[in-house]
Amino acid sequence: MTVMTRPWASPQVSPCPQDFRVVVRIDSWESTSMYPNGHFVRVLGRIGELEGEIATILVENNISVVPFSEAQMCEMPVNTPENPWKVNSQEERDRKDLRKTHLVFSIDPSGCEDVDDTLSVRALDNGNLELGVHIADVTHFVAPHSYIDIEARTRATTYYLADRRYDMLPAILSADVCSLLGGVDRYAVSVMWELDKTSYEIKKVWYGRTIIRSAYKLFYEAAQDLLDGNFSVVKDIPEFKDLDEKSRQAKLEELVWAIRKLTDIARHIRAKRDRCGALELEGVEVRIQLDEKKNIHDLIPKQPLEVHETVAECMILANHWVAKKIWESFPHQALLRRHPPPHQEFFSELRECAKAKGFFIDTRSNKALADSLDNANDPNDPIVNKLLRSMATQAMSNALYFSTGSCAEEEFHHYGLALDKYTHFTSPIRRYSDIIVHRLLMAAISKDKKMEIKENLFSNKDLEELCRHINNRNRAAQHSQKQSTELFQCMYFKDKDPETEERCISDGVIYSIRTNGVLVFIPRFGIKGAAYLRNKDGLVVSCGPDGHSEWKPGSLQRFQNKITSTTTEGESVTFHLFDHVTVRLSVQTSRCHSDTIRLEIISNKPHMTPDTELFQQSSLLLKSDLVKEVTRSVEEAQLAQEVAVNITEDCQKYCQTKGRSLYTLLEEIRDLALLDVSNNYSI
């Protein structure tokens, strides 16, 4: 575990450096003692500094970031200017070659290096369409039970923090030979469907290994511009730069047709799932954007684009059809992903909150829930629907990997996606589950051809154990990503004076009532947290005629959809669900845990900015400033530290802790009456 160091009381023991995060191991805890015995292991870094706090997040989530070993790297292919990687002649004979017959391209976030998936669509001679999803063939390079396979299985996933990532596979695979980059030959595993030219109904499906050459590596924003007919973006697409005008126009028309056709197909697929009850849920997602030198450039909110949904629907379709295929071939040892229906009692708060705004939420089925959420729109406040969808997300259990031999078929269903069978096939560069699914798919294809199954498949028992491990690592990945985003938010606000800094004042929306306060969502920064209406001295919030608040003696009375603060002088103020209030943001430090954002309601009226009509733009600007300022502060702090901290030799040795113990630190932590317990929903 990690703790914060303090000077040790005993003069016989050399003290560790103060105010550092360190790792300690608890060795024993005598039943007759109030204090555990343990020893110091290592220093992680100074409290409050970026690298030290990131190291703490990794340790707390048991994430290993050690370099890949020499033995593992010896298994990797070579791709250098002197010895470039190229397609093997035997593979050319064994695989379907799509390089000259298919327009293949990828659509990914800006700066993406690990390109798992590409798409294609073309008209067939019979008038029908062919839709293709082509996924990096990682299993060609990662042999079962090899050194790199064992390491990838241990890591289980790529860990994405706010400003960095820790890869499941070495860069030679994840960012090079396996990555489906533009203009280079790559091995892929493809799923291709023949679709009716008008209804887009699936006529037949083909699975197999292919060779592709992606023609374009598009970013989401560029693909959306092309979809919308904004062709000025062409100058920013590298593949068009060296073409003459006639060739550029022809290739542009070909690409735009493909994007629009893919989008049309995706709309049909989505509509079909919607009719079955697929849910569109909401989460607070903030992303760190890096520049070419890997420095933090921006912190941006998730901006929904139609091409996001286009790509997602194609991936969901591939995952669904692969799930059906591997289950049909191996009904007792296929790796699928299920999302059980939530317990109805978990929806009680959602139903009550919606009722406060005059909406009825039917939670009896996923279809009823989806329709209810679609209808729960307040035309005067779009935040209401976002919060209701967010609350629906929190009521959900997480989707989990499982072995099909471990539960009955009726339990396979994916509630959120409204699919009877689902798996993860489309991201083998960053998910070990997908590597297992690729091996199962290859075995299923061999079985259909009555060929020897070369893949070493897991038994049901071993696969279920592996699924538990992957599920555990996925939770760690989600938690660490959330913690790192919160770290940046805290580092930004930490050096701001909340009393005078304009950016520390923001509009907030109340989305839950608690015994001694409310939970508030800050749209500008994507922050959720508790705002107390009674402080540690027992005083309650009072708001004057102008709306501004102060602390006075009094009491709180909680109702179902509101809470009332009444002073001893008879003044009262009531806060309702979905009220907009003005909130002050500051940082609350802790001696034992990471810093947290503290929210304080300073007015019961909405926060009015000079340019409220430019809210979206100002929101983006503030998030950009947040990350830039945090990064600049970190760089300045690093430059200022000329002398590294020297840890004494005695302190480096394992020794039993003395004096002020971990127990006394934990003893000082007060129980919080306000908790926002939320699950990260993931398909």
Side-chain angles (χ1 to χ4, degrees):
M1 66 172 59
T2 59
V3 298
M4 186 174 85
T5 56
R6 295 283 179 187
W8 286 334
S10 172
Q12 288 81 24
V13 181
S14 299
C16 278
Q18 294 185 44
D19 300 324
F20 275 72
R21 302 272 186 205
V22 303
V23 178
V24 299
R25 181 172 294 278
I26 303 301
D27 299 318
S28 64
W29 198 330
E30 300 295 335
S31 60
T32 56
S33 173
M34 293 180 63
Y35 308 110
N37 298 314
H39 63 262
F40 164 84
V41 178
R42 62 188 173 98
V43 172
L44 295 174
R46 188 181 294 275
I47 290 171
E49 291 185 354
L50 180 61
E51 293 306 317
E53 295 297 339
I54 290 290
T56 301
I57 290 172
L58 297 176
V59 168
E60 288 180 340
N61 291 283
N62 195 25
I63 297 173
S64 171
V65 294
V66 296
F68 291 98
S69 70
E70 184 177 349
Q72 292 159 1
M73 295 306 295
C74 284
E75 297 175 340
M76 296 297 96
V78 175
N79 188 24
T80 63
E82 301 78 25
N83 187 16
W85 180 88
K86 58 184 179 181
V87 171
N88 181 280
S89 57
Q90 181 62 46
E91 293 295 329
E92 281 188 309
R93 290 190 290 270
D94 294 343
R95 294 171 180 262
K96 181 176 284 192
D97 194 338
L98 309 181
R99 288 174 290 183
K100 295 180 180 179
T101 57
H102 290 64
L103 175 66
V104 177
F105 57 93
S106 62
I107 306 176
D108 287 290
S110 177
C112 178
E113 295 176 346
D114 50 345
V115 182
D116 289 282
D117 55 87
T118 54
L119 298 165
S120 69
V121 62
R122 64 172 185 158
L124 299 175
D125 293 338
N126 62 5
N128 286 337
L129 296 171
E130 181 190 74
L131 169 65
V133 172
H134 316 282
I135 306 301
D137 190 359
V138 173
T139 56
H140 174 80
F141 301 96
V142 179
H145 309 301
S146 61
Y147 290 120
I148 197 61
D149 181 57
I150 294 169
E151 179 64 23
R153 189 189 313 166
T154 302
R155 299 189 182 201
T157 184
T158 291
Y159 298 93
Y160 292 90
L161 303 190
D163 66 328
R164 66 193 74 188
R165 76 170 191 262
Y166 296 101
D167 291 325
M168 182 182 77
L169 295 170
I172 182 63
L173 294 183
S174 63
D176 192 358
V177 176
C178 283
S179 186
L180 305 181
L181 305 171
V184 292
D185 296 342
R186 290 291 182 260
Y187 295 150
V189 178
S190 301
V191 184
M192 294 189 286
W193 302 265
E194 181 178 335
L195 309 176
D196 183 89
K197 60 184 176 182
T198 54
S199 67
Y200 299 145
E201 291 301 314
I202 295 171
K203 298 290 187 181
K204 61 177 73 170
V205 61
W206 179 89
Y207 308 88
R209 280 185 152 138
T210 56
I211 303 173
I212 66 167
R213 182 184 297 139
S214 178
Y216 304 97
K217 183 176 181 290
L218 299 175
F219 299 145
Y220 281 119
E221 294 76 13
Q224 185 66 49
D225 282 338
L226 293 176
L227 179 64
D228 296 337
N230 178 16
F231 301 138
S232 62
V233 75
V234 169
K235 66 180 185 299
D236 299 323
I237 300 176
E239 291 86 354
F240 284 107
K241 286 187 177 178
D242 298 327
L243 299 176
D244 60 71
E245 184 60 33
K246 185 177 180 180
S247 298
R248 182 187 297 113
Q249 188 61 33
K251 287 186 174 295
L252 177 61
E253 289 176 2
E254 181 185 39
L255 177 60
V256 171
W257 178 87
I259 293 175
R260 288 177 175 170
K261 187 58 68 175
L262 278 174
T263 302
D264 204 27
I265 293 169
R267 288 170 184 159
H268 171 84
I269 298 169
R270 174 71 201 199
K272 189 174 181 179
R273 289 199 304 110
D274 284 343
R275 290 193 293 271
C276 296
L279 295 170
E280 181 182 344
L281 299 176
E282 186 76 25
V284 180
E285 186 172 346
V286 180
R287 295 181 183 274
I288 297 291
Q289 191 178 69
L290 306 178
D291 61 21
E292 292 178 355
K293 296 180 180 179
K294 304 302 177 189
N295 295 319
I296 303 167
H297 172 67
D298 209 348
L299 180 64
I300 56 175
K302 181 180 179 181
Q303 299 292 334
L305 302 172
E306 186 169 16
V307 289
H308 288 144
E309 190 167 305
T310 296
V311 175
E313 285 301 329
C314 292
M315 298 305 117
I316 291 170
L317 184 69
N319 288 333
H320 173 53
W321 278 82
V322 169
K324 292 199 296 183
K325 180 66 177 177
I326 62 175
W327 174 75
E328 288 167 0
S329 298
F330 307 105
H332 302 296
Q333 56 189 120
L335 187 153
L336 299 189
R337 188 164 173 82
R338 65 190 178 97
H339 184 215
H343 297 289
Q344 285 299 308
E345 57 266 27
F346 294 168
F347 284 125
S348 58
E349 186 173 18
L350 169 65
R351 288 192 292 262
E352 292 303 323
C353 287
K355 186 178 178 182
K357 292 293 289 185
F359 300 123
F360 171 71
I361 302 295
D362 187 348
T363 62
R364 289 175 296 177
S365 70
N366 53 356
K367 179 69 168 68
L369 176 59
D371 291 342
S372 298
L373 290 172
D374 287 342
N375 294 328
N377 274 302
D378 184 342
N380 299 317
D381 191 357
I383 295 293
V384 170
N385 189 263
K386 289 181 177 292
L387 284 172
L388 290 175
R389 290 184 185 276
S390 179
M391 294 174 73
T393 304
Q394 293 170 24
M396 304 285 174
S397 55
N398 278 335
L400 298 169
Y401 298 109
F402 71 102
S403 172
T404 51
S406 64
C407 59
E409 186 179 347
E410 54 267 23
E411 297 177 26
F412 293 3
H413 187 75
H414 197 294
Y415 178 86
L417 296 177
L419 294 171
D420 60 339
K421 293 176 184 67
Y422 191 69
T423 192
H424 274 165
F425 157 76
T426 54
S427 295
I429 288 177
R430 60 185 179 89
R431 292 189 302 232
Y432 192 75
S433 57
D434 301 50
I435 290 179
I436 297 297
V437 169
H438 275 234
R439 290 172 181 160
L440 284 162
L441 180 60
M442 292 303 103
I445 293 170
S446 297
K447 187 176 181 181
D448 287 348
K449 295 178 179 178
K450 302 191 184 319
M451 297 168 58
E452 179 187 356
I453 297 177
K454 298 179 181 179
E455 287 72 16
N456 296 312
L457 303 182
F458 285 94
S459 67
N460 173 58
K461 180 181 177 182
D462 291 341
L463 184 58
E464 186 62 21
E465 185 177 337
L466 176 59
C467 288
R468 281 195 292 269
H469 167 69
I470 296 175
N471 290 332
N472 177 273
R473 291 293 81 212
N474 281 349
R475 283 190 290 269
Q478 292 174 359
H479 194 226
S480 60
Q481 187 176 42
K482 181 173 180 284
Q483 284 180 298
S484 65
T485 300
E486 292 170 349
L487 169 64
F488 270 88
Q489 292 168 338
C490 286
M491 292 185 75
Y492 175 70
F493 286 107
K494 197 166 188 176
D495 61 351
K496 303 285 187 296
D497 184 349
E499 299 293 334
T500 59
E501 178 62 52
E502 183 180 346
R503 294 177 186 178
C504 292
I505 308 299
S506 185
D507 187 64
V509 184
I510 295 172
Y511 69 93
S512 188
I513 307 295
R514 292 294 187 262
T515 304
N516 61 341
V518 294
L519 299 182
V520 180
F521 171 55
I522 312 296
R524 182 189 293 177
F525 296 107
I527 292 173
K528 286 182 175 181
Y532 292 89
L533 301 181
R534 179 189 290 118
N535 67 14
K536 61 183 179 181
D537 298 321
L539 305 179
V540 299
V541 165
S542 172
C543 295
D546 60 353
H548 285 83
S549 65
E550 56 182 317
W551 296 102
K552 292 184 178 181
S555 61
L556 295 177
Q557 189 173 8
R558 177 189 175 185
F559 302 92
Q560 195 166 46
N561 300 319
K562 62 183 180 180
I563 186 169
T564 299
S565 172
T566 306
T567 68
T568 53
E569 300 169 356
E571 303 169 347
S572 69
V573 58
T574 299
F575 297 92
H576 298 82
L577 281 173
F578 302 111
D579 276 355
H580 284 250
V581 293
T582 301
V583 178
R584 178 185 290 124
L585 296 91
S586 59
V587 176
Q588 184 169 320
T589 59
S590 168
R591 291 186 295 175
C592 307
H593 299 287
S594 55
D595 295 343
T596 56
I597 296 291
R598 178 173 178 265
L599 305 180
E600 179 185 359
I601 296 176
I602 60 173
S603 172
N604 64 345
K605 299 183 185 303
H607 179 58
M608 303 302 294
T609 59
D611 300 305
T612 52
E613 69 278 4
L614 298 178
F615 171 77
Q616 292 296 334
Q617 296 179 21
S618 64
S619 170
L620 190 61
L621 175 65
L622 285 171
K623 292 180 187 226
S624 172
D625 290 346
L626 188 153
V627 178
K628 288 177 181 176
E629 189 153 341
V630 168
T631 308
R632 185 169 58 251
S633 299
V634 170
E635 290 172 351
E636 290 172 355
Q638 289 173 342
L639 290 172
Q641 289 181 344
E642 298 288 338
V643 182
V645 176
N646 292 319
I647 305 170
T648 62
E649 188 172 316
D650 286 341
C651 202
Q652 290 178 341
K653 296 178 181 178
Y654 290 174
C655 52
Q656 183 169 310
T657 54
K658 302 285 185 180
R660 188 178 181 83
S661 72
L662 174 65
Y663 184 84
T664 59
L665 293 175
L666 295 174
E667 205 172 42
E668 294 173 358
I669 300 172
R670 292 191 174 188
D671 291 332
L672 293 176
L674 296 171
L675 291 175
D676 179 16
V677 182
S678 61
N679 287 325
N680 287 327
Y681 177 79
S682 173
I683 63 172

